[in-house]
PDB file of all heavy atoms in Angstrom:
ATOM      1  N   ASN A  84      20.162  25.595  30.291  1.00  0.00           N
ATOM      2  CA  ASN A  84      20.461  26.469  31.429  1.00  0.00           C
ATOM      3  C   ASN A  84      21.702  27.283  31.198  1.00  0.00           C
ATOM      4  O   ASN A  84      22.724  26.834  30.741  1.00  0.00           O
ATOM      5  CB  ASN A  84      20.457  25.740  32.766  1.00  0.00           C
ATOM      6  CG  ASN A  84      21.616  24.809  32.919  1.00  0.00           C
ATOM      7  OD1 ASN A  84      22.022  24.204  31.956  1.00  0.00           O
ATOM      8  ND2 ASN A  84      22.156  24.717  34.105  1.00  0.00           N
ATOM      9  N   THR A  85      21.519  28.559  31.512  1.00  0.00           N
ATOM     10  CA  THR A  85      22.476  29.571  31.113  1.00  0.00           C
ATOM     11  C   THR A  85      23.165  30.138  32.328  1.00  0.00           C
ATOM     12  O   THR A  85      22.960  31.289  32.696  1.00  0.00           O
ATOM     13  CB  THR A  85      21.726  30.717  30.420  1.00  0.00           C
ATOM     14  OG1 THR A  85      20.735  31.201  31.341  1.00  0.00           O
ATOM     15  CG2 THR A  85      21.038  30.229  29.184  1.00  0.00           C
ATOM     16  N   SER A  86      23.999  29.314  32.941  1.00  0.00           N
ATOM     17  CA  SER A  86      24.650  29.751  34.177  1.00  0.00           C
ATOM     18  C   SER A  86      25.342  31.099  33.983  1.00  0.00           C
ATOM     19  O   SER A  86      25.272  31.953  34.851  1.00  0.00           O
ATOM     20  CB  SER A  86      25.626  28.686  34.664  1.00  0.00           C
ATOM     21  OG  SER A  86      26.081  27.915  33.590  1.00  0.00           O
ATOM     22  N   VAL A  87      25.998  31.294  32.860  1.00  0.00           N
ATOM     23  CA  VAL A  87      26.594  32.609  32.655  1.00  0.00           C
ATOM     24  C   VAL A  87      25.737  33.393  31.670  1.00  0.00           C
ATOM     25  O   VAL A  87      25.250  32.862  30.680  1.00  0.00           O
ATOM     26  CB  VAL A  87      28.062  32.531  32.175  1.00  0.00           C
ATOM     27  CG1 VAL A  87      28.802  31.427  32.898  1.00  0.00           C
ATOM     28  CG2 VAL A  87      28.160  32.327  30.685  1.00  0.00           C
ATOM     29  N   ALA A  88      25.557  34.655  31.982  1.00  0.00           N
ATOM     30  CA  ALA A  88      24.632  35.518  31.254  1.00  0.00           C
ATOM     31  C   ALA A  88      24.889  35.523  29.751  1.00  0.00           C
ATOM     32  O   ALA A  88      23.953  35.493  28.949  1.00  0.00           O
ATOM     33  CB  ALA A  88      24.718  36.941  31.806  1.00  0.00           C
ATOM     34  N   GLU A  89      26.138  35.529  29.372  1.00  0.00           N
ATOM     35  CA  GLU A  89      26.474  35.651  27.949  1.00  0.00           C
ATOM     36  C   GLU A  89      25.948  34.465  27.146  1.00  0.00           C
ATOM     37  O   GLU A  89      25.774  34.542  25.943  1.00  0.00           O
ATOM     38  CB  GLU A  89      27.992  35.769  27.772  1.00  0.00           C
ATOM     39  CG  GLU A  89      28.537  37.133  28.191  1.00  0.00           C
ATOM     40  CD  GLU A  89      28.366  37.377  29.683  1.00  0.00           C
ATOM     41  OE1 GLU A  89      28.476  36.401  30.461  1.00  0.00           O
ATOM     42  OE2 GLU A  89      28.075  38.525  30.078  1.00  0.00           O
ATOM     43  N   ASN A  90      25.718  33.353  27.820  1.00  0.00           N
ATOM     44  CA  ASN A  90      25.219  32.175  27.120  1.00  0.00           C
ATOM     45  C   ASN A  90      23.760  32.291  26.714  1.00  0.00           C
ATOM     46  O   ASN A  90      23.276  31.513  25.906  1.00  0.00           O
ATOM     47  CB  ASN A  90      25.356  30.937  28.014  1.00  0.00           C
ATOM     48  CG  ASN A  90      26.798  30.522  28.164  1.00  0.00           C
ATOM     49  OD1 ASN A  90      27.677  31.052  27.480  1.00  0.00           O
ATOM     50  ND2 ASN A  90      27.050  29.576  29.044  1.00  0.00           N
ATOM     51  N   GLU A  91      23.079  33.250  27.310  1.00  0.00           N
ATOM     52  CA  GLU A  91      21.641  33.288  27.113  1.00  0.00           C
ATOM     53  C   GLU A  91      21.259  33.471  25.647  1.00  0.00           C
ATOM     54  O   GLU A  91      20.369  32.786  25.141  1.00  0.00           O
ATOM     55  CB  GLU A  91      21.016  34.395  27.967  1.00  0.00           C
ATOM     56  CG  GLU A  91      19.510  34.321  27.974  1.00  0.00           C
ATOM     57  CD  GLU A  91      18.887  35.293  28.961  1.00  0.00           C
ATOM     58  OE1 GLU A  91      18.959  35.040  30.169  1.00  0.00           O
ATOM     59  OE2 GLU A  91      18.342  36.314  28.513  1.00  0.00           O
ATOM     60  N   ARG A  92      21.943  34.363  24.970  1.00  0.00           N
ATOM     61  CA  ARG A  92      21.627  34.572  23.551  1.00  0.00           C
ATOM     62  C   ARG A  92      21.839  33.287  22.758  1.00  0.00           C
ATOM     63  O   ARG A  92      21.016  32.907  21.925  1.00  0.00           O
ATOM     64  CB  ARG A  92      22.483  35.694  22.978  1.00  0.00           C
ATOM     65  CG  ARG A  92      22.056  37.067  23.462  1.00  0.00           C
ATOM     66  CD  ARG A  92      22.738  38.174  22.674  1.00  0.00           C
ATOM     67  NE  ARG A  92      22.462  39.464  23.302  1.00  0.00           N
ATOM     68  CZ  ARG A  92      23.109  39.923  24.354  1.00  0.00           C
ATOM     69  NH1 ARG A  92      24.082  39.199  24.909  1.00  0.00           N
ATOM     70  NH2 ARG A  92      22.785  41.098  24.880  1.00  0.00           N
ATOM     71  N   ASP A  93      22.949  32.644  22.994  1.00  0.00           N
ATOM     72  CA  ASP A  93      23.231  31.391  22.288  1.00  0.00           C
ATOM     73  C   ASP A  93      22.173  30.343  22.592  1.00  0.00           C
ATOM     74  O   ASP A  93      21.741  29.610  21.711  1.00  0.00           O
ATOM     75  CB  ASP A  93      24.610  30.853  22.692  1.00  0.00           C
ATOM     76  CG  ASP A  93      25.728  31.728  22.141  1.00  0.00           C
ATOM     77  OD1 ASP A  93      25.447  32.517  21.213  1.00  0.00           O
ATOM     78  OD2 ASP A  93      26.855  31.621  22.632  1.00  0.00           O
ATOM     79  N   ALA A  94      21.765  30.295  23.848  1.00  0.00           N
ATOM     80  CA  ALA A  94      20.769  29.312  24.249  1.00  0.00           C
ATOM     81  C   ALA A  94      19.472  29.527  23.483  1.00  0.00           C
ATOM     82  O   ALA A  94      18.869  28.592  22.958  1.00  0.00           O
ATOM     83  CB  ALA A  94      20.519  29.405  25.756  1.00  0.00           C
ATOM     84  N   VAL A  95      19.070  30.772  23.402  1.00  0.00           N
ATOM     85  CA  VAL A  95      17.846  31.096  22.682  1.00  0.00           C
ATOM     86  C   VAL A  95      18.012  30.756  21.197  1.00  0.00           C
ATOM     87  O   VAL A  95      17.132  30.155  20.577  1.00  0.00           O
ATOM     88  CB  VAL A  95      17.493  32.590  22.844  1.00  0.00           C
ATOM     89  CG1 VAL A  95      16.345  32.972  21.924  1.00  0.00           C
ATOM     90  CG2 VAL A  95      17.131  32.878  24.291  1.00  0.00           C
ATOM     91  N   GLN A  96      19.147  31.114  20.648  1.00  0.00           N
ATOM     92  CA  GLN A  96      19.383  30.840  19.239  1.00  0.00           C
ATOM     93  C   GLN A  96      19.334  29.337  18.968  1.00  0.00           C
ATOM     94  O   GLN A  96      18.744  28.873  17.994  1.00  0.00           O
ATOM     95  CB  GLN A  96      20.740  31.405  18.803  1.00  0.00           C
ATOM     96  CG  GLN A  96      20.962  31.336  17.305  1.00  0.00           C
ATOM     97  CD  GLN A  96      19.839  32.004  16.530  1.00  0.00           C
ATOM     98  OE1 GLN A  96      19.517  33.167  16.776  1.00  0.00           O
ATOM     99  NE2 GLN A  96      19.200  31.281  15.612  1.00  0.00           N
ATOM    100  N   LEU A  97      19.934  28.583  19.864  1.00  0.00           N
ATOM    101  CA  LEU A  97      19.930  27.135  19.710  1.00  0.00           C
ATOM    102  C   LEU A  97      18.509  26.596  19.707  1.00  0.00           C
ATOM    103  O   LEU A  97      18.141  25.757  18.884  1.00  0.00           O
ATOM    104  CB  LEU A  97      20.731  26.501  20.845  1.00  0.00           C
ATOM    105  CG  LEU A  97      20.929  25.005  20.764  1.00  0.00           C
ATOM    106  CD1 LEU A  97      22.290  24.630  21.308  1.00  0.00           C
ATOM    107  CD2 LEU A  97      19.839  24.277  21.542  1.00  0.00           C
ATOM    108  N   LEU A  98      17.708  27.123  20.619  1.00  0.00           N
ATOM    109  CA  LEU A  98      16.307  26.702  20.690  1.00  0.00           C
ATOM    110  C   LEU A  98      15.605  27.046  19.380  1.00  0.00           C
ATOM    111  O   LEU A  98      14.819  26.251  18.844  1.00  0.00           O
ATOM    112  CB  LEU A  98      15.634  27.420  21.863  1.00  0.00           C
ATOM    113  CG  LEU A  98      15.377  26.665  23.163  1.00  0.00           C
ATOM    114  CD1 LEU A  98      16.219  25.418  23.322  1.00  0.00           C
ATOM    115  CD2 LEU A  98      15.541  27.575  24.362  1.00  0.00           C
ATOM    116  N   LEU A  99      15.892  28.212  18.876  1.00  0.00           N
ATOM    117  CA  LEU A  99      15.290  28.656  17.619  1.00  0.00           C
ATOM    118  C   LEU A  99      15.762  27.773  16.457  1.00  0.00           C
ATOM    119  O   LEU A  99      14.968  27.389  15.595  1.00  0.00           O
ATOM    120  CB  LEU A  99      15.669  30.111  17.360  1.00  0.00           C
ATOM    121  CG  LEU A  99      14.615  31.203  17.562  1.00  0.00           C
ATOM    122  CD1 LEU A  99      13.484  30.768  18.471  1.00  0.00           C
ATOM    123  CD2 LEU A  99      15.254  32.480  18.056  1.00  0.00           C
ATOM    124  N   ASP A 100      17.039  27.493  16.424  1.00  0.00           N
ATOM    125  CA  ASP A 100      17.583  26.620  15.374  1.00  0.00           C
ATOM    126  C   ASP A 100      16.868  25.271  15.399  1.00  0.00           C
ATOM    127  O   ASP A 100      16.580  24.693  14.359  1.00  0.00           O
ATOM    128  CB  ASP A 100      19.077  26.386  15.578  1.00  0.00           C
ATOM    129  CG  ASP A 100      19.897  27.628  15.257  1.00  0.00           C
ATOM    130  OD1 ASP A 100      19.318  28.602  14.764  1.00  0.00           O
ATOM    131  OD2 ASP A 100      21.115  27.605  15.509  1.00  0.00           O
ATOM    132  N   ARG A 101      16.610  24.823  16.580  1.00  0.00           N
ATOM    133  CA  ARG A 101      15.946  23.526  16.695  1.00  0.00           C
ATOM    134  C   ARG A 101      14.437  23.657  16.523  1.00  0.00           C
ATOM    135  O   ARG A 101      13.699  22.698  16.744  1.00  0.00           O
ATOM    136  CB  ARG A 101      16.291  22.879  18.039  1.00  0.00           C
ATOM    137  CG  ARG A 101      17.801  22.606  18.160  1.00  0.00           C
ATOM    138  CD  ARG A 101      18.113  21.470  19.095  1.00  0.00           C
ATOM    139  NE  ARG A 101      19.519  21.096  18.962  1.00  0.00           N
ATOM    140  CZ  ARG A 101      19.975  19.864  19.081  1.00  0.00           C
ATOM    141  NH1 ARG A 101      19.139  18.902  19.366  1.00  0.00           N
ATOM    142  NH2 ARG A 101      21.259  19.595  18.938  1.00  0.00           N
ATOM    143  N   ARG A 102      14.017  24.832  16.227  1.00  0.00           N
ATOM    144  CA  ARG A 102      12.630  25.084  15.876  1.00  0.00           C
ATOM    145  C   ARG A 102      11.625  24.676  16.944  1.00  0.00           C
ATOM    146  O   ARG A 102      10.596  24.052  16.644  1.00  0.00           O
ATOM    147  CB  ARG A 102      12.276  24.391  14.556  1.00  0.00           C
ATOM    148  CG  ARG A 102      13.032  24.906  13.338  1.00  0.00           C
ATOM    149  CD  ARG A 102      12.766  26.374  13.088  1.00  0.00           C
ATOM    150  NE  ARG A 102      13.381  26.846  11.836  1.00  0.00           N
ATOM    151  CZ  ARG A 102      14.598  27.382  11.730  1.00  0.00           C
ATOM    152  NH1 ARG A 102      15.373  27.494  12.816  1.00  0.00           N
ATOM    153  NH2 ARG A 102      15.057  27.814  10.567  1.00  0.00           N
ATOM    154  N   VAL A 103      11.938  25.019  18.187  1.00  0.00           N
ATOM    155  CA  VAL A 103      10.955  24.789  19.235  1.00  0.00           C
ATOM    156  C   VAL A 103       9.706  25.595  18.922  1.00  0.00           C
ATOM    157  O   VAL A 103       9.783  26.641  18.275  1.00  0.00           O
ATOM    158  CB  VAL A 103      11.497  25.199  20.624  1.00  0.00           C
ATOM    159  CG1 VAL A 103      12.660  24.317  21.026  1.00  0.00           C
ATOM    160  CG2 VAL A 103      11.904  26.657  20.629  1.00  0.00           C
ATOM    161  N   ASP A 104       8.575  25.130  19.363  1.00  0.00           N
ATOM    162  CA  ASP A 104       7.317  25.795  19.056  1.00  0.00           C
ATOM    163  C   ASP A 104       7.083  27.018  19.935  1.00  0.00           C
ATOM    164  O   ASP A 104       6.276  27.889  19.614  1.00  0.00           O
ATOM    165  CB  ASP A 104       6.143  24.825  19.237  1.00  0.00           C
ATOM    166  CG  ASP A 104       6.188  23.710  18.208  1.00  0.00           C
ATOM    167  OD1 ASP A 104       6.851  23.895  17.158  1.00  0.00           O
ATOM    168  OD2 ASP A 104       5.575  22.658  18.436  1.00  0.00           O
ATOM    169  N   ALA A 105       7.778  27.037  21.073  1.00  0.00           N
ATOM    170  CA  ALA A 105       7.603  28.141  22.002  1.00  0.00           C
ATOM    171  C   ALA A 105       8.727  28.088  23.024  1.00  0.00           C
ATOM    172  O   ALA A 105       9.460  27.103  23.106  1.00  0.00           O
ATOM    173  CB  ALA A 105       6.254  28.042  22.713  1.00  0.00           C
ATOM    174  N   ILE A 106       8.837  29.151  23.797  1.00  0.00           N
ATOM    175  CA  ILE A 106       9.894  29.180  24.816  1.00  0.00           C
ATOM    176  C   ILE A 106       9.350  29.706  26.136  1.00  0.00           C
ATOM    177  O   ILE A 106       8.611  30.683  26.177  1.00  0.00           O
ATOM    178  CB  ILE A 106      11.078  30.072  24.383  1.00  0.00           C
ATOM    179  CG1 ILE A 106      11.684  29.543  23.078  1.00  0.00           C
ATOM    180  CG2 ILE A 106      12.140  30.139  25.472  1.00  0.00           C
ATOM    181  CD1 ILE A 106      12.923  30.292  22.623  1.00  0.00           C
ATOM    182  N   ILE A 107       9.717  29.014  27.205  1.00  0.00           N
ATOM    183  CA  ILE A 107       9.399  29.495  28.550  1.00  0.00           C
ATOM    184  C   ILE A 107      10.703  29.858  29.249  1.00  0.00           C
ATOM    185  O   ILE A 107      11.618  29.041  29.315  1.00  0.00           O
ATOM    186  CB  ILE A 107       8.696  28.401  29.390  1.00  0.00           C
ATOM    187  CG1 ILE A 107       7.328  28.046  28.787  1.00  0.00           C
ATOM    188  CG2 ILE A 107       8.522  28.862  30.840  1.00  0.00           C
ATOM    189  CD1 ILE A 107       6.602  26.956  29.569  1.00  0.00           C
ATOM    190  N   PHE A 108      10.773  31.066  29.726  1.00  0.00           N
ATOM    191  CA  PHE A 108      11.914  31.459  30.548  1.00  0.00           C
ATOM    192  C   PHE A 108      11.521  31.329  32.010  1.00  0.00           C
ATOM    193  O   PHE A 108      10.665  32.066  32.491  1.00  0.00           O
ATOM    194  CB  PHE A 108      12.310  32.913  30.281  1.00  0.00           C
ATOM    195  CG  PHE A 108      13.014  33.130  28.971  1.00  0.00           C
ATOM    196  CD1 PHE A 108      12.287  33.283  27.803  1.00  0.00           C
ATOM    197  CD2 PHE A 108      14.400  33.168  28.907  1.00  0.00           C
ATOM    198  CE1 PHE A 108      12.933  33.483  26.584  1.00  0.00           C
ATOM    199  CE2 PHE A 108      15.048  33.364  27.701  1.00  0.00           C
ATOM    200  CZ  PHE A 108      14.310  33.510  26.536  1.00  0.00           C
ATOM    201  N   ILE A 109      12.113  30.375  32.705  1.00  0.00           N
ATOM    202  CA  ILE A 109      11.853  30.320  34.140  1.00  0.00           C
ATOM    203  C   ILE A 109      12.598  31.469  34.791  1.00  0.00           C
ATOM    204  O   ILE A 109      12.241  31.937  35.863  1.00  0.00           O
ATOM    205  CB  ILE A 109      12.303  28.971  34.731  1.00  0.00           C
ATOM    206  CG1 ILE A 109      11.637  27.835  33.970  1.00  0.00           C
ATOM    207  CG2 ILE A 109      11.943  28.900  36.209  1.00  0.00           C
ATOM    208  CD1 ILE A 109      11.905  26.486  34.554  1.00  0.00           C
ATOM    209  N   ALA A 110      13.604  31.906  34.105  1.00  0.00           N
ATOM    210  CA  ALA A 110      14.322  33.111  34.518  1.00  0.00           C
ATOM    211  C   ALA A 110      15.240  33.515  33.378  1.00  0.00           C
ATOM    212  O   ALA A 110      15.745  32.671  32.657  1.00  0.00           O
ATOM    213  CB  ALA A 110      15.143  32.864  35.779  1.00  0.00           C
ATOM    214  N   HIS A 111      15.428  34.796  33.239  1.00  0.00           N
ATOM    215  CA  HIS A 111      16.405  35.240  32.242  1.00  0.00           C
ATOM    216  C   HIS A 111      17.352  36.221  32.911  1.00  0.00           C
ATOM    217  O   HIS A 111      17.075  36.749  33.986  1.00  0.00           O
ATOM    218  CB  HIS A 111      15.706  35.846  31.021  1.00  0.00           C
ATOM    219  CG  HIS A 111      15.299  37.269  31.190  1.00  0.00           C
ATOM    220  ND1 HIS A 111      16.052  38.320  30.718  1.00  0.00           N
ATOM    221  CD2 HIS A 111      14.231  37.817  31.787  1.00  0.00           C
ATOM    222  CE1 HIS A 111      15.456  39.456  31.015  1.00  0.00           C
ATOM    223  NE2 HIS A 111      14.351  39.182  31.667  1.00  0.00           N
ATOM    224  N   HIS A 112      18.467  36.423  32.276  1.00  0.00           N
ATOM    225  CA  HIS A 112      19.497  37.284  32.870  1.00  0.00           C
ATOM    226  C   HIS A 112      19.185  38.754  32.626  1.00  0.00           C
ATOM    227  O   HIS A 112      19.407  39.276  31.544  1.00  0.00           O
ATOM    228  CB  HIS A 112      20.861  36.947  32.273  1.00  0.00           C
ATOM    229  CG  HIS A 112      21.421  35.664  32.766  1.00  0.00           C
ATOM    230  ND1 HIS A 112      22.042  35.534  33.985  1.00  0.00           N
ATOM    231  CD2 HIS A 112      21.443  34.426  32.221  1.00  0.00           C
ATOM    232  CE1 HIS A 112      22.443  34.289  34.166  1.00  0.00           C
ATOM    233  NE2 HIS A 112      22.087  33.583  33.110  1.00  0.00           N
ATOM    234  N   GLU A 113      18.705  39.396  33.657  1.00  0.00           N
ATOM    235  CA  GLU A 113      18.322  40.796  33.490  1.00  0.00           C
ATOM    236  C   GLU A 113      19.522  41.723  33.440  1.00  0.00           C
ATOM    237  O   GLU A 113      19.414  42.869  33.057  1.00  0.00           O
ATOM    238  CB  GLU A 113      17.378  41.216  34.614  1.00  0.00           C
ATOM    239  CG  GLU A 113      16.007  40.592  34.445  1.00  0.00           C
ATOM    240  CD  GLU A 113      15.108  40.885  35.608  1.00  0.00           C
ATOM    241  OE1 GLU A 113      15.470  40.560  36.746  1.00  0.00           O
ATOM    242  OE2 GLU A 113      14.033  41.453  35.367  1.00  0.00           O
ATOM    243  N   GLU A 114      20.679  41.188  33.813  1.00  0.00           N
ATOM    244  CA  GLU A 114      21.859  42.046  33.771  1.00  0.00           C
ATOM    245  C   GLU A 114      22.309  42.303  32.334  1.00  0.00           C
ATOM    246  O   GLU A 114      23.122  43.175  32.069  1.00  0.00           O
ATOM    247  CB  GLU A 114      23.003  41.447  34.591  1.00  0.00           C
ATOM    248  CG  GLU A 114      23.512  40.112  34.074  1.00  0.00           C
ATOM    249  CD  GLU A 114      22.830  38.955  34.776  1.00  0.00           C
ATOM    250  OE1 GLU A 114      21.605  39.063  35.000  1.00  0.00           O
ATOM    251  OE2 GLU A 114      23.506  37.969  35.093  1.00  0.00           O
ATOM    252  N   LEU A 115      21.781  41.511  31.395  1.00  0.00           N
ATOM    253  CA  LEU A 115      22.090  41.779  29.993  1.00  0.00           C
ATOM    254  C   LEU A 115      21.490  43.134  29.630  1.00  0.00           C
ATOM    255  O   LEU A 115      20.317  43.391  29.871  1.00  0.00           O
ATOM    256  CB  LEU A 115      21.503  40.680  29.104  1.00  0.00           C
ATOM    257  CG  LEU A 115      22.139  39.298  29.270  1.00  0.00           C
ATOM    258  CD1 LEU A 115      21.394  38.270  28.443  1.00  0.00           C
ATOM    259  CD2 LEU A 115      23.605  39.336  28.877  1.00  0.00           C
TER     260      LEU A 115
END
Side-chain angles (χ1 to χ4, degrees):
Chain A
N84 70 324
T85 57
S86 26
V87 320
E89 286 65 35
N90 289 351
E91 190 172 286
R92 287 191 189 81
D93 290 343
V95 171
Q96 188 54 54
L97 185 145
L98 257 19
L99 254 21
D100 288 353
R101 298 206 169 214
R102 296 299 186 268
V103 295
D104 293 339
I106 300 184
I107 295 179
F108 286 83
I109 305 186
H111 82 98
H112 286 280
E113 288 174 303
E114 63 266 40
L115 293 175

